[in-house]
Each structure stands twice: as C-alpha cells, then as structure tokens.
Amino acid sequence: MNSYIMSSPAFNLKKIVVVFIIFLCSGNVFGQADTTHKLDRKWWKEAVVYQIYPRSFKDNNGDGIGDLKGIISKLDYIKSLGVDVVWLNPIYSSPNDDNGYDVSDYRNIMSDFGTMGDFNVMLKGLHDRGIKLVMDLVVNHSSDEHEWFKQSRSSRTNPYREYYHWWNAENGKPPYRYSLFDVNHDAWRYDTLTNAYYLHYFSRKQPDLNWENPKVRQEVINIMKFWADKGIDGFRMDAFQYAAKDTTFPAFPQGFEKNFTQYYGMVTGLHGYLQQINKEVLSKYNVMTVAEGAGNTYEDAHNMVDADRHELNMAYAFDGVNIAKSSGYSLLEFKQVFSKWDSVFADKGWLSIFLANHDQARLVSRYGNDSPEFREISSKMLSTFLMTMRGTPYYYNGDELGMSNPGFTKIEDYRDVSLLNEYHHQLNIGGSIPDFLKEAQFSSRDNSRTPFQWDSSTNAGFTTGTPWIKVNANYKTINVATEEKDKNSCLNYFRKLTKLRKENLVLVYGKYTLLDKDNPKVYAYTRELDGKKMLIVLNFTNTIAEVKTGYDLSTAKLILSNYEGSGSDKGKLLPYQAIIYQLQ
Ligand code: GLC
Ligand code: CA
C-alpha cells in the first residue's frame, strides 16, 4: 500500500466508516468492556460458592461416613443447583479429632473419604460440569499425628523442633494463652518427653505451626503447589489470621487474656507470610483465595484482600454470622452490619456473603423460623437475601432444602470436639449442664453437621449403615426427593435464585442502597448497575409488615417472590415474604 492511497480522502472516509461500523457492532461488547474495566470482573466475584461438608454429604460404602465416591454420585445434583464453585471441608489424612481440621498428611486423602484416585475422578467430574473446586487449607496447625510433630516432640534437638512452638519447662510456666477447644482452655500442653510445653490454640491434638520458621513456610508453599498443580481452583485459609505469633509470648494485659480475635489474630508478620504465598504460589495459578475471618477492623480486612497488596482475594468477615444468639437478634443491627461492610468495601476489595457454615447451627434455625409453619418461607427469604447482596455468596449444603437444627437433647448425640471438651470443662467447674445443653441445642456446630437429607428412606438416603451422627428426625418431609417434585420447594426456589443472579450482573456488582433504614421488621435495598435497578424487600418477621421504599411498586416489575406470584399489596409484606422487583 503506497502513501498516496493511505492519505487519499476516499480511503480515509472508508477507514472512518469501517471504524464506525466496528464501533456499532461492538456496541454491547464495547459497553461491557468499559463496564468490565470499571467493575474489574473476576470469575470468583461472579461465582456462587456451595460448601460441602464431606463427612455428612453422601456415604457410598455403608460405613456411615460421607465420602468422595458419595460426592461423585451426586455431581449432577450439585450442577443442578446452578452453583459455580464447591468449597470442600478438609479431606486430607487425619485422625479426625476435629473432623479433618487436624491434618496428619497434607498430600493424601483421609481413608474414611477414599483415595487420591477418587479425588481425581471427583475433580474431573466437577470440571466437566463447569464447577470449580476450592479446598480448605489448614495450616495454622497440624495434627499431633503429623510426622513433623512426631519428630518435633521426640527431642529438643530434632531438626523439626522449630516447626512448632515449644516452651521449655525449666523456664517456668509460659504466659497464659487461651485455647478455644481445650478442656481447661489452656493453649499450653505440657509434654513429659522433653519437659516442655507446646502451643495449641485449638485442641491438644492440633499443635500450632511455627510460621516464623522459613522451612514451615516452604513446606506449606510446596503443599499448595501440589494441589494447584492437580488443578484445584482455590484455597480457603483456615484460621489463618492466627498463624503469626509473637514468639516471645509476652503476657497479655490482665483481664484480656481470653480476648481471642483482638490479641491472637493479625499479629505482625502475617501480611508478609501472605505476600510470600501470593508471590510463590497464588500469582502463578488461576486460583481464588479466602481467609477465614477478616481481622479486627475494616482496615485489617482490606489489608488482607486489596488487589494492590497481593495477598488474598476476598474477606470473610464474621460480624454478620455472629449476630444471632439463642435470645434472638435485632434486624436493625443485622442491617447495620451488612450495610457497613458493604460501604467500607464499595470501592475497593471484595467480600464474602454468608450466614452459615459448618461452624454454625442451621441458617433457618438461627436467622429464620424453623417452626413447621414458617420454616420453608423464612428459609427462602434468607436465601433471597444471600443471593441478592453484593459479594460472593457462600451457601452451606442443606440450606437449599431448608434443613434445620436437629434439637439434640443428650450429650451422647454430639460429636464435635469443641462441644465435648466444653462439656467436660463445665462438669469440672460445676457449671449448669441443663443450661449448657439448652444452649448447645441452639448453637452447637453439630447442628449443621447432621447427614444431608436425600430422600425419605432410612437415614435419609445418606447411608445404608449407621450414620456417624444422628439424622435429623424431620428427614421424611425435608429431603431432595420430595422437594424435586414440588415446584415451590426451597430447593427449586434456590435454583431460581442462582439463575437470577447469573443472569443479572447487577446482583453481583451493583451498587447497594439501604432503604427504610429504621424499619425493625423489613430489610429493603436496591441494587443498581448501568441503568438497571432491582429492589429487594424482605420481611424478617412472622407477622405482616409494612415497608416504605419510596418507589411506586405498582409500576415495578415483579421478578421473584417466595409467595408464588404475589407482590406486596401497597407496601405490605406477608410473614417472611421476600420479593425482588425490577425498577428500571
Ligand atoms: C476453623 C474451622 C473449624 C475448625 C478450626 C480449627 O475455624 O472452620 O471447623 O475447627 O478452624 O481448625
Ligand atoms: Ca463412607
């Protein structure tokens, strides 16, 4: 092409026309690209995470314990939910003091759960269905049966000694440290073999790793690479905010020794460890990361997840999930907490949205109403909330069925190490056991760990053997098979929600605005993006409630309601009614 043609007016005109046509054709794409840039779109922001508690999901071999083959047999079910990511609680080799959160070999599968072959099949099965897998990474501590700890214990001069925190007994008793799971709440355990104490923030069988030791960090980095190379898509960093410690172990101010998050979390050094992990592993793979907990302040949370810091992807803050107490909770506080977190993360950083997990009792029993009359409707209302907030929803298995607390009355029904140790603690200090059991019925972690309810056959179709923990007595009515058949079931409603979220980017990224702020019964908010606006109104009570949104609902388009086909009559909401409108 010679310079004449290049500069001829005719050519220039053609060029302009071509450019214009490209511009027109790409109208949407262009707009999207622009938006994309603004939004910093990421797959892990747009995903719905479904958490599977493997021990209780599906037992394949009749030993009463859920396993990987069980999960494999239910992959189509998982796909049918419309979720994008599975977060699996730990499946590594473990003596199971804390259901897998005490790892004895990070590169192997717990024998209860199956083999590495099963794992590979499961991972491929998920990927074939377009679902990603996030694994729990438990490296604040290991099991005391891990080879590292066995070596470390064996003598003061063993090369692995510095993998853990030891305090030689000739130096007296170490300054008090609180243990969350210990019978005596004492995080220092005396070991006669070397006349020294070791540190365990959780149970005695979960000694804390010494992150100051570069060898420990290298071990973890290698473990992460091992799993990332296998093709997993992310890590959930268990209890990681406690990983850094001031290893001089100063005494804490009197009266504050048990102030766990404040004094034990986010100790200097932590960000450096995260940056090292990011540099050496995370930056090299397309993986997502989430830390359990978000520190003590909004600043802590930002410091862990802001993109320019190169640490983790999203914060998982406990403020919301901690609100519900056996005495109830205030919706005003609930709204305030979620609104505040949203505003603090409006411009930078990214949040997880959740109200339940394997460490909490059931969603509907804590935040809704599990009476026969309102269980279904309130469960759907809560799901509506989780799926319409800004952030990545983490949805716990069984909540899509509206599973509720089992109401255990006897200590023999419980399995959780933290609960059993606390029970012994209460016995030791002469605490009231009836009060303790009553509280456990509401808040125990075992409430959410009962077997997944597949159908109305014996043991809810979870196992042909004896389940490791009792099945909830309500399984005959609350189960997948029954709910599949009912188009208005919790299960089918949840599917509508995941689909809606997928089809509406506004629900993922859209600006959140709280409405009718002081309404003690109704949570109402809008989500807004690129000229599209949705209004969500949620009645959190068992009575009719009024809401003043300031919008004319008679012209709003009804998108979804948990009372089939019904919008709100002049701002009046039925008990636990949830409605999603499109305003623009
Ligand atoms: C985290 C886990 C919990 C476990 C603890 C110790 O909090 O979510 O289940 O018991 O860490 O690993
Ligand atoms: Ca099994």
Side-chain angles (χ1 to χ4, degrees):
M1 205 183 283
N2 67 40
S3 61
Y4 167 76
I5 298 177
M6 284 276 287
S7 60
S8 88
F11 180 82
N12 271 346
L13 186 65
K14 241 196 259 165
K15 207 164 76 176
I16 291 165
V17 169
V18 168
V19 169
F20 187 58
I21 289 172
I22 293 174
F23 176 77
L24 281 184
C25 296
S26 63
N28 247 339
V29 179
F30 186 83
Q32 187 94 348
D34 186 36
T35 303
T36 303
H37 176 73
K38 247 185 4 221
L39 297 178
D40 187 21
R41 288 183 65 176
K42 295 275 188 282
W43 64 264
W44 43 264
K45 294 182 181 173
E46 294 173 23
V48 173
V49 179
Y50 182 66
Q51 185 190 346
I52 292 185
Y53 198 67
R55 208 171 179 75
S56 303
F57 195 61
K58 174 72 186 160
D59 174 24
N60 177 71
N61 63 350
D63 66 355
I65 300 172
D67 45 46
L68 299 188
K69 282 207 169 90
I71 296 176
I72 294 166
S73 72
K74 295 296 182 187
L75 289 174
D76 287 337
Y77 171 76
I78 299 166
K79 174 72 186 166
S80 79
L81 297 175
V83 297
D84 310 277
V85 173
V86 163
W87 154 26
L88 204 55
N89 289 98
I91 54 166
Y92 315 100
S93 300
S94 163
N96 263 312
D97 185 56
D98 184 20
N99 288 2
Y101 281 96
D102 46 322
V103 179
S104 54
D105 182 350
Y106 291 92
R107 288 185 180 77
N108 264 315
I109 303 295
M110 189 193 299
S111 53
D112 283 346
F113 288 164
T115 63
M116 194 58 91
D118 297 336
F119 175 84
N120 295 337
V121 173
M122 180 189 71
L123 182 62
K124 181 165 185 314
L126 285 167
H127 284 171
D128 285 349
R129 288 166 179 78
I131 300 170
K132 296 183 188 290
L133 177 66
V134 167
M135 302 262 286
D136 229 303
L137 187 72
V138 192
V139 288
N140 168 71
H141 46 270
S142 74
S143 162
D144 66 340
E145 296 183 35
H146 194 292
E147 189 56 30
W148 300 334
F149 191 74
K150 289 188 195 160
Q151 295 283 336
S152 185
R153 253 194 96 196
S154 65
S155 88
R156 287 188 180 187
T157 53
N158 186 283
Y160 286 90
R161 187 69 170 178
E162 299 303 318
Y163 270 45
Y164 296 87
H165 300 283
W166 290 96
W167 179 282
N168 292 337
E170 63 272 20
N171 299 330
K173 265 211 93 172
Y176 179 74
R177 287 295 181 269
Y178 181 73
S179 164
L180 290 158
F181 292 179
D182 189 72
V183 179
N184 302 322
H185 292 174
D186 184 352
W188 290 108
R189 173 78 177 159
Y190 178 68
D191 199 38
T192 46
L193 204 62
T194 55
N195 187 35
Y197 298 87
Y198 67 85
L199 186 72
H200 63 92
Y201 283 174
F202 295 91
S203 89
R204 289 170 191 178
K205 288 183 67 61
Q206 295 169 294
D208 284 49
L209 284 159
N210 177 9
W211 274 77
E212 259 180 20
N213 183 347
K215 286 188 188 152
V216 167
R217 302 204 292 275
Q218 197 53 53
E219 297 270 15
V220 172
I221 283 165
N222 293 345
I223 289 164
M224 291 178 83
K225 282 186 183 159
F226 172 85
W227 289 100
D229 285 337
K230 279 182 105 21
I232 71 159
D233 307 285
F235 298 97
R236 179 247 185 198
M237 311 283 289
D238 179 70
F240 200 76
Q241 53 181 335
Y242 307 118
K245 275 127 191 145
D246 178 346
T247 52
T248 63
F249 294 107
F252 288 151
Q254 241 188 349
F256 291 93
E257 299 89 343
K258 296 184 177 177
N259 203 332
F260 210 78
T261 23
Q262 199 179 340
Y263 281 91
Y264 296 68
M266 305 305 296
V267 170
T268 312
L270 192 82
H271 293 297
Y273 304 154
L274 287 173
Q275 280 158 15
Q276 187 184 354
I277 286 173
N278 188 297
K279 184 161 169 258
E280 294 185 35
V281 189
L282 305 175
S283 61
K284 301 190 170 140
Y285 299 86
N286 181 21
V287 289
M288 63 163 260
T289 46
V290 56
E292 186 198 16
N296 297 309
T297 60
Y298 299 116
E299 197 188 344
D300 279 347
H302 271 294
N303 285 346
M304 281 201 280
V305 302
D306 285 356
D308 49 7
R309 293 180 53 91
H310 304 289
E311 296 185 22
L312 302 174
N313 292 144
M314 62 180 118
Y316 187 93
F318 288 134
D319 291 5
V321 82
N322 282 342
I323 294 173
K325 304 276 183 295
S326 51
S327 52
Y329 70 96
S330 139
L331 180 64
L332 292 177
E333 185 191 354
F334 185 94
K335 295 200 277 190
Q336 196 244 325
V337 165
F338 277 95
S339 303
K340 180 72 187 171
W341 274 98
D342 185 88
S343 73
V344 170
F345 276 70
D347 299 323
K348 214 176 183 195
W350 192 252
L351 288 174
S352 315
I353 297 290
F354 67 100
L355 282 174
N357 59 36
H358 65 293
D359 291 330
Q360 305 292 340
R362 279 287 169 190
L363 174 67
V364 71
S365 302
R366 293 186 78 220
Y367 285 93
N369 183 331
D370 62 8
S371 70
E373 194 182 356
F374 294 117
R375 182 193 56 81
E376 247 186 272
I377 201 77
S378 66
S379 164
K380 290 177 189 168
M381 185 276 291
L382 293 166
S383 296
T384 314
F385 167 72
L386 292 165
M387 304 303 279
T388 56
M389 286 292 282
R390 205 171 64 93
T392 300
Y394 283 69
Y395 199 86
Y396 186 65
N397 62 185
D399 287 342
E400 75 272 29
L401 308 177
M403 278 179 67
S404 59
N405 285 355
F408 291 155
T409 51
K410 301 193 298 284
I411 191 67
E412 293 75 27
D413 291 335
Y414 290 97
R415 298 287 175 271
D416 174 22
V417 62
S418 72
L419 181 123
L420 297 176
N421 284 349
E422 187 56 32
Y423 173 76
H424 287 293
H425 179 71
Q426 291 300 322
L427 284 178
N428 291 346
I429 64 169
S432 159
I433 297 304
D435 285 356
F436 173 80
L437 287 175
K438 186 145 183 285
E439 175 58 29
Q441 216 175 40
F442 177 78
S443 61
S444 159
R445 310 198 293 179
D446 280 337
N447 283 311
S448 64
R449 298 177 178 185
T450 63
F452 194 92
Q453 294 165 202
W454 292 104
D455 56 41
S456 58
S457 68
T458 320
N459 293 321
F462 163 70
T463 181
T464 53
T466 308
W468 70 278
I469 186 168
K470 269 192 184 167
V471 176
N472 192 321
N474 62 20
Y475 75 90
K476 292 226 155 105
T477 47
I478 304 170
N479 62 64
V480 174
T482 308
E483 297 197 27
E484 286 285 6
K485 284 184 238 143
D486 172 5
K487 73 178 183 16
N488 294 321
S489 63
C490 291
L491 174 59
N492 282 319
Y493 185 78
F494 177 67
R495 288 173 172 145
K496 285 183 198 158
L497 284 169
T498 54
K499 185 158 178 285
L500 191 69
R501 193 172 173 95
K502 191 109 305 161
E503 289 167 354
N504 290 280
L505 225 47
V506 58
L507 293 177
V508 177
Y509 296 106
K511 178 170 170 261
Y512 158 95
T513 307
L514 177 65
L515 308 171
D516 204 1
K517 175 169 150 279
D518 298 323
N519 190 326
K521 296 175 139 196
V522 178
Y523 197 164
Y525 47 95
T526 52
R527 305 291 315 282
E528 201 175 344
L529 181 75
D530 288 345
K532 189 167 187 178
K533 199 177 211 176
M534 288 185 141
L535 167 69
I536 295 100
V537 285
L538 310 165
N539 179 359
F540 270 70
T541 70
N542 62 2
T543 52
I544 290 178
E546 285 190 37
V547 59
K548 292 195 179 64
T549 62
Y551 290 100
D552 177 9
L553 298 183
S554 63
T555 58
K557 185 174 163 200
L558 176 72
I559 301 289
L560 188 64
S561 166
N562 58 351
Y563 283 82
E564 213 204 346
S566 111
S568 77
D569 177 19
K570 297 196 182 67
K572 279 203 171 58
L573 294 168
L574 299 168
Y576 297 109
Q577 186 163 21
I579 315 175
I580 305 175
Y581 292 103
Q582 188 166 328
L583 297 173
Q584 286 161 15

